Amino acid sequence: MDLVLADAKAVGDPEPVERAAESLGARLVLAPVAVVDGTPRHDPAALGAALVPVLGSDR
């Protein structure tokens, strides 16, 4: 997999993260994947939903 999947709220300014991902040969994909209670964890359902389009793409 050549992407970095991150929650936009956790990333803040996406530009530095996008540059870091590109330096590794990856692309940045932002999606709401964090749990809503604010703890630093992924929501399993949201993570699965975010992965469906990126796993199905040819990019």
Side-chain angles (χ1 to χ4, degrees):
M1 191 173 277
D2 58 351
L3 64 93
V4 173
L5 179 61
D7 192 288
K9 290 181 182 177
V11 167
D13 178 12
E15 186 61 32
V17 180
E18 188 169 33
R19 282 195 311 268
E22 288 175 354
S23 74
L24 298 170
R27 65 186 171 98
L28 175 63
V29 175
L30 297 175
V33 295
V35 292
V36 293
D37 66 6
T39 58
R41 297 179 297 128
H42 293 106
D43 176 292
L47 183 58
L51 286 172
V52 168
V54 297
L55 291 176
S57 72
D58 289 335
R59 290 201 244 167

